[in-house]
Amino acid sequence: MAKQATRGENGSAESQDLVRRLTLEIRSLNVCLEDFLQVRAEALGISGTQLAILMAVMDLDKDGGAPAGVVAKLMKVDPSFITLHSKALEKVGFVRRKTGIRDARVVQLSLTDKARKRLANIAAQQEELDQFVFGELSIEESTRLSSRLAALRKRLERATLKAELDTGAASARGRSRR
């Protein structure tokens, strides 16, 4: 019996160590992705955050733009954060902001021709860098990795909500982004 308990404890300790290492790797990966985004953004004369917004708008734009609130949800930030940065992007001519036709409270964001051209100009370089970074992964492996990371993110979101309910308090980080 004692051996089983020890094995269980070691398994738990090993499991916790693995989770800590995985968490550190994911955090390090996030920092590297942010740095990479910043370098790409500098080529356009904008911040990494603003490039992330442009990329989100490009992905979400469906005939007339992407609602700023949807961009905020995708990026997990407060809508006022998107408003602030989209106004700056509008000033440099990268984003067009239009009041929603059906609801004047909704702001539709879309890329300007200038933004599309500038993004196209760096697309070849980006493709080369993407190949360097992700070239070892097949399309199937990339798809599987993306799906697993998305599933992990969803479980982490649910775990965060559960922890908040269990402790009776909202996380300070969650509150600051809302």
Side-chain angles (χ1 to χ4, degrees), residues 7 12 23 53 144 162 167:
R7 244 188 250 151
S12 178
T23 300
I53 292 170
R144 188 175 26 243
K162 183 182 181 330
T167 61

Side-chain angles (χ1 to χ4, degrees), residues 12-28:
S12 178
E14 288 175 26
S15 177
Q16 287 178 352
D17 185 50
L18 179 60
V19 168
R20 275 192 297 275
R21 285 186 306 193
L22 180 60
T23 300
L24 287 173
E25 286 298 329
I26 291 171
R27 284 183 175 165
S28 296

Side-chain angles (χ1 to χ4, degrees), residues 142-174:
S142 295
T143 302
R144 188 175 26 243
L145 177 59
S146 179
S147 295
R148 288 188 176 178
L149 288 173
L152 179 60
R153 178 186 46 78
K154 287 177 184 175
R155 286 192 303 273
L156 282 168
E157 288 170 349
R158 287 194 302 265
T160 300
L161 289 173
K162 183 182 181 330
E164 287 175 352
L165 289 172
D166 290 348
T167 61
S171 72
R173 181 167 166 78

Side-chain angles (χ1 to χ4, degrees), residues 16 27 48 50 64 81 87 102-104 107-108 116 120 138 153:
Q16 287 178 352
R27 284 183 175 165
Q50 291 169 338
F81 182 81
K87 286 181 178 179
R102 295 182 191 156
D103 186 347
V107 174
Q108 296 288 117
R116 290 182 194 285
S138 69
R153 178 186 46 78

Side-chain angles (χ1 to χ4, degrees), residues 6-160:
T6 303
R7 244 188 250 151
E9 288 172 13
N10 285 344
S12 178
E14 288 175 26
S15 177
Q16 287 178 352
D17 185 50
L18 179 60
V19 168
R20 275 192 297 275
R21 285 186 306 193
L22 180 60
T23 300
L24 287 173
E25 286 298 329
I26 291 171
R27 284 183 175 165
S28 296
L29 183 60
N30 184 53
V31 169
C32 289
L33 286 168
E34 290 292 328
D35 290 346
F36 186 60
L37 189 68
Q38 184 61 41
V39 169
R40 290 172 40 207
E42 286 173 3
L44 296 170
I46 59 176
S47 72
T49 298
Q50 291 169 338
L51 179 56
I53 292 170
L54 290 179
M55 292 167 48
V57 170
M58 189 177 355
D59 286 346
L60 294 170
D61 189 348
K62 304 291 184 228
D63 300 326
V70 175
V71 174
K73 282 183 183 178
L74 176 67
M75 293 182 66
K76 301 212 175 292
V77 296
D78 190 89
S80 64
F81 182 81
I82 300 300
T83 299
L84 176 73
H85 286 284
S86 66
K87 286 181 178 179
L89 287 166
E90 185 178 40
K91 284 182 183 175
V92 295
F94 283 173
V95 168
R96 194 169 15 274
R97 296 168 36 88
K98 289 185 186 175
T99 303
I101 296 169
R102 295 182 191 156
D103 186 347
R105 296 171 295 175
V106 175
V107 174
Q108 296 288 117
L109 304 175
S110 59
L111 299 183
T112 63
D113 289 339
K114 176 183 176 181
R116 290 182 194 285
K117 286 177 187 172
R118 295 284 300 275
L119 290 169
N121 287 342
I122 64 169
Q125 178 188 16
Q126 184 57 45
E127 190 173 326
E128 185 180 318
L129 290 171
D130 288 346
Q131 180 60 33
F132 175 75
V133 173
F134 299 106
E136 291 182 10
L137 299 174
S138 69
I139 291 174
E140 181 180 298
E141 290 170 322
S142 295
T143 302
R144 188 175 26 243
L145 177 59
S146 179
S147 295
R148 288 188 176 178
L149 288 173
L152 179 60
R153 178 186 46 78
K154 287 177 184 175
R155 286 192 303 273
L156 282 168
E157 288 170 349
R158 287 194 302 265
T160 300

